Amino acid sequence: MKNKAEVLIHPVRMKISQALMRNKETGLTPLEMVKIIEGVPQATLYRHIQVLLDAGIIQIIKEKKVRSVFEKYYSLNEEAARLDSEEWQKLSKEEKVSYLSYYQLSLMTQYESYLSGLELECSKEDKATFSLLELKIDDEHFDNFQQELNSLMLKYYNKKINNQNIPTRTVAVTIIPKS
C-alpha cells in the first residue's frame, strides 16, 4: 500500500475527501459523488474510493438496499485523513512540495469555480479574502498561535448546522515556520 500522503495527494481523492467532508453527517454514495465531482468518470471514481477505503481514510457508515443491490454510504475518517507531525517529517522535500502544490491547485480550482458561480449569478460581490502576515514571535508563542488557530477552525467546523441552505465556505491556511 502507498503511504498516506501518496493516497491523499491525488487530485481525485482530494475531491472525494472534500465532498465527504461537506456531507459528514449523512455520508455519500458513489453515485452522489459522481454528481458532485464533475469531470470524473464513474469507474475512475470507484477506483479512487477503493484506494481511500483500503487506506482507512474513508469508511462505510451504512448500507441501504436499493432493488437487488446494497448502496454503500461513505464518510471521511477525519482522524485517518490527517497527516500527523511524524508522518509529515518522514516525507522527502519533493513529496512535501508536491503535496503543497496539489493543495494549492485544489484551492485555485475551488476559487475559479466560486468566481464562475458569481458570474452565473451576475454577482460582483466577491467575498474571498487573502492575507499574508509575518509574525516575529518565539517558538513557544508560535506553537500557541498554531494551537489556537486550529482550535478556532475546529470550533466552527464541528458546529452542527440544521439549515441546508447555508453555503459551505473554504478556509485554507498555510503556515511557513521561517521566512
Side-chain angles (χ1 to χ4, degrees):
M1 183 186 86
K2 300 173 181 178
N3 69 44
K4 191 189 307 187
E6 285 181 72
V7 172
L8 289 169
I9 202 169
H10 193 281
V12 172
R13 293 192 284 266
M14 286 177 92
K15 289 178 182 180
I16 292 169
S17 297
Q18 287 176 320
L20 292 174
M21 198 182 305
R22 292 181 183 134
N23 294 278
K24 60 183 174 181
E25 279 83 27
T26 59
L28 292 172
T29 67
L31 292 176
E32 290 171 327
M33 287 186 232
V34 165
K35 293 174 186 169
I36 294 170
I37 303 168
E38 297 173 1
V40 178
Q42 188 171 346
T44 301
L45 190 75
Y46 275 100
R47 265 195 324 275
H48 289 289
I49 287 171
Q50 192 60 53
V51 170
L52 289 165
L53 188 63
D54 291 345
I57 293 169
I58 65 172
Q59 57 203 357
I60 298 169
I61 57 169
K62 65 181 174 184
E63 293 187 41
K64 186 175 166 186
K65 190 167 183 172
V66 178
R67 294 184 205 94
S68 61
V69 296
F70 281 94
E71 214 170 37
K72 295 176 182 173
Y73 286 78
Y74 295 90
S75 72
L76 187 66
N77 179 350
E78 294 177 2
E79 203 55 41
R82 288 190 187 96
L83 284 178
D84 65 28
S85 179
E86 186 178 312
E87 291 166 315
W88 184 253
Q89 296 308 320
K90 289 179 184 175
L91 298 177
S92 69
K93 175 185 172 186
E94 290 76 20
E95 289 171 316
K96 289 177 182 180
V97 169
S98 182
Y99 192 81
L100 185 65
S101 297
Y102 280 115
Y103 166 76
Q104 295 293 341
L105 181 61
S106 173
L107 290 175
M108 183 63 80
T109 303
Q110 279 187 292
Y111 184 63
E112 201 170 16
S113 177
Y114 165 72
L115 290 177
S116 295
L118 289 179
E119 283 178 349
L120 289 174
E121 296 168 6
C122 297
S123 174
K124 296 204 187 295
E125 189 176 6
D126 180 0
K127 293 184 176 182
T129 61
F130 303 91
S131 300
L132 175 63
L133 178 66
E134 291 191 354
L135 302 174
K136 198 142 183 81
I137 55 177
D138 61 31
D139 287 345
E140 181 183 345
H141 287 97
F142 181 66
D143 291 344
N144 289 340
F145 171 77
Q146 285 186 290
Q147 289 172 1
E148 288 175 27
L149 182 59
N150 190 47
S151 293
L152 179 65
M153 290 171 47
L154 286 174
K155 171 186 169 185
Y156 286 94
Y157 176 71
N158 292 324
K159 252 188 195 312
K160 300 279 187 243
I161 305 295
N162 296 327
N163 184 345
Q164 297 291 30
N165 295 325
I166 294 176
T168 299
R169 302 170 195 282
T170 299
V171 175
V173 177
T174 302
I175 295 177
I176 303 170
K178 291 184 182 174
S179 304

